[in-house]
């Protein structure tokens, strides 16, 4: 195991802000993960586990302890009970796995193509997009339990998945290091065709699209929204959606609707959001004076997506946080709703 010192973290994230890691280890095996944990304990270093860095905002002062980047490789496939089980190393690139599953004609993750980051990052916030989420296909998660100091297999139920949530980012945050994830996919299954954007894309097609065509469509749609990382496109120098869609009580919804009516506006409805009593955070942001392309020096809103805060150049983490707070304050003043950020704040 090779320990490095003062390693810049910004290049290891998609938002590209933040300072260095005091100590940094990249672990490609479970033994190396265990060794790094021992090192952090022996030297009393706070531990932060990094995947692909696509859902983090690193502070300008960086991380004072040990950053452990998970690089465990491997995609293995086997059949069980009519399902195709894929055991995937936490360090694998998520979209590489999606591409493999689709090439093997296995359904269950095709709509999640183009989400950046690692396989190990996907259970953490139960990633979801275009009508699918990983909770539907994760069969189990192999994890290093820092509390017990041992490797443990967690079944899907034990992961406590719900919207953008699992035990890994809520009740048991910081307890588990995800080493491997097993996904149960449907061999020869049909693509998920639930989301309005996807239905629109395929409207008028004579036959139902294949898994590969669905994956391509998702990637094309994502690219138009700056949600597909492409080199040189500053609209995707972001951490993805910066705020979660708020879940409202009936009372809160009535208040919001009344405020909208007073402004001659109508809150947009989307079946996927309505089912969970959620409102669109993007709509709230846009109707609080932060249109797509809004700029504030080196930070701004993506020209393609109202929910993405982008680094337009030399932004610092402090710039991002100040801008985030300005948006939260304005949305709260105008709509009475507190927006909760989606990315993880590291070293603040
Ligand atoms: C352009 C763009 C588009 C995006 N689109 C979507 C989307 O459509 N849907 C969606 O849900 N998300 C989306 N995201 C957010 C992000 O890509 C996902 O949350 C992704 O799964 C994060 O994985 P990561 O490996 O990059 O995690 P990181 O950013 O490295 O880490 C995020 C959190 O997970 C923890 N973590 C990471 N790996 C492990 C591990 N092996 N063990 C324990 N903890 C770990 C970290 O400690 C941290 O708390 C998008 C982001 C960007 C930049």
């Amino acid at each position: 195991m090779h320990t490095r010192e003062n390693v810049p973290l910004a290049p290891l994230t998609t938002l590209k802000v933040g300072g260095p890691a005091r100590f940094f280890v990249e672990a490609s095996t479970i033994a190396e993960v265990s060794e790094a944990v021992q090192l952090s304990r022996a030297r009393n270093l706070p531990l932060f586990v990094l995947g692909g860095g696509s859902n983090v905002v690193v502070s300008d002062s960086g991380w004072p302890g040990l950053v452990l980047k998970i690089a465990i490789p491997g995609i293995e496939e086997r059949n069980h009970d009519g399902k195709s089980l894929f055991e995937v190393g936490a360090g694998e690139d998520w979209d590489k796995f999606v591409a493999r599953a689709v090439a093997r004609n296995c359904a269950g993750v095709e709509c999640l193509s183009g989400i950046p980051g690692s396989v190990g990052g996907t259970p953490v916030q139960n990633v979801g997009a275009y009508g699918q989420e990983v909770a539907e296909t994760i069969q189990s998660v192999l994890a290093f339990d820092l509390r017990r100091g041992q490797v443990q297999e967690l079944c899907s139920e034990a992961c406590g998945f719900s919207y953008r949530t699992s035990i890994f980012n809520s009740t048991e945050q910081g307890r588990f290091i995800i080493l491997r994830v097993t996904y149960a996919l449907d061999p020869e299954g049909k693509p998920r065709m639930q989301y309005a954007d996807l239905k629109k894309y395929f409207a008028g097609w004579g036959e139902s699209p294949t898994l590969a065509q669905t994956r391509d469509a998702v990637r094309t749609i994502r690219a138009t929204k700056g949600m597909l990382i492409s080199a040189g496109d500053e609209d995707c120098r972001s951490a993805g959606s910066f705020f979660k869609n708020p879940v409202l009580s009936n009372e809160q919804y009535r208040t919001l609707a009344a405020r909208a009516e007073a402004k001659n506006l109508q809150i947009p409805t989307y079946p996927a959001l309505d089912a969970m009593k959620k409102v669109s955070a993007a709509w709230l942001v846009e109707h609080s004076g932060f249109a797509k392309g809004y700029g504030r020096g080196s930070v701004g809103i993506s020209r393609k997506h109202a929910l993405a805060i982008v680094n337009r150049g030399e932004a610092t983490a402090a710039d991002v946080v100040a801008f985030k707070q300005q948006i939260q304050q304005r949305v709260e003043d105008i709509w009475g709703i507190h927006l909760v950020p989606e990315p993880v704040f590291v070293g603040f």
Side-chain angles (χ1 to χ4, degrees), residues 243-260 267 277-285 288 324-340:
F243 299 104
K244 298 183 192 185
N245 291 318
V247 179
L248 303 184
S249 65
N250 288 336
E251 179 60 31
Q252 282 173 314
Y253 189 85
R254 272 195 295 274
T255 310
L256 176 68
R259 290 188 189 201
I267 308 163
K277 282 197 176 165
K278 285 188 290 182
V279 288
S280 160
W283 186 88
L284 293 168
V285 169
S288 301
K324 165 207 98 126
Q325 282 166 346
Q326 194 199 5
I327 295 172
Q328 282 173 313
Q329 190 60 55
R330 193 97 68 83
V331 169
E332 198 145 359
D333 290 347
I334 298 175
W335 301 108
I337 290 171
H338 178 70
L339 289 182
V340 176

Side-chain angles (χ1 to χ4, degrees), residues 14 48-56 70 90 115-118 120-122 124-129 164 176-178 222 226-229 236 238-240 342 344:
T14 52
F48 180 75
V49 179
L50 183 68
S54 63
N55 210 25
V56 290
I70 302 299
I115 296 179
S118 65
T122 61
V124 176
Q125 69 154 358
N126 177 21
V127 297
R164 290 304 93 81
F176 293 102
I177 302 174
I178 295 163
R222 289 185 75 95
M227 285 288 135
L228 190 71
I229 302 276
C236 58
S238 76
E342 194 180 288
V344 176

